[in-house]
Amino acid sequence: MYPITHMTIAVGGVWIGERLWRRLRRLAGRPSLSPEVAEQPSNARLDYRLVALGALIPDLIDKPLKLFVLPSLPDGHTYGHTLLLPAILIATGLLWARAGDARLLALGLGCLTHPLVDPVVVYPRTLFWPLFGAEFPVATGIPGWYLRLADVVLVGFAIAIWQRDWFSGIRRGLLRHGTLDRSARLTP
């Protein structure tokens, strides 16, 4: 489990995806939010704290499952590391988002990014479980030193940015409301 890497990839990927989605909707002449959702900005926007938490969900499910419940599993990359889990969270989250609450959608999108950092990305039997059978292969492939190095680099980068004065508005928005609003950096 490389939590910093998972959370960073999730927040960055979902932030880019959200910006692209809003831009495409604007180009198509459609509002990015329905009028009902626009009236509830605190719940309608993605909470990036929940995106970061969602990126950890597969490990929070599979690691304890392997250690305490089913030690016969091949490794800690099983049920939570499938695409079935984020598909269920995102589908349910989209229904809730239509009603003005995007919290479950944020968790699902964070969960969807998890396989990008884990070795299961090269195992279709795990990703697309149960389509290719009920058995899980042992996940190996991405060397651990590579991910530890990535964690060190990302932590150093995050600390350097977190302490900058120009980041203070974004930092406050993230901690208080879970937003990454670029305009927030202009506030004192």
Side-chain angles (χ1 to χ4, degrees), residues 9-119:
I9 300 264
V11 169
V14 172
W15 182 82
I16 290 169
E18 181 185 22
R19 296 298 176 259
L20 288 173
W21 174 256
R22 288 176 190 253
R23 182 166 294 200
L24 289 173
R25 300 244 336 157
R26 217 177 9 250
L27 290 174
R30 300 165 86 187
S32 59
L33 299 173
S34 68
E36 302 84 28
V37 172
E39 293 174 6
Q40 304 169 0
S42 62
N43 287 339
R45 293 185 154 247
L46 288 178
D47 186 334
Y48 286 95
R49 298 170 297 185
L50 292 175
V51 171
L53 177 64
L56 302 178
I57 288 175
D59 283 335
L60 293 174
I61 291 172
D62 287 345
K63 303 303 183 194
L65 189 65
K66 164 76 173 148
L67 290 173
F68 303 115
V69 181
L70 296 170
S72 62
L73 290 173
D75 64 13
H77 298 96
T78 54
Y79 303 103
H81 286 77
T82 67
L83 292 178
L84 183 61
L85 176 64
I88 291 169
L89 290 173
I90 290 171
T92 308
L94 285 170
L95 292 174
W96 285 15
R98 291 183 62 92
D101 188 354
R103 292 179 291 186
L104 191 58
L105 179 61
L107 284 172
L109 291 171
C111 188
L112 181 64
T113 65
H114 188 95
L116 296 174
V117 184
D118 272 0

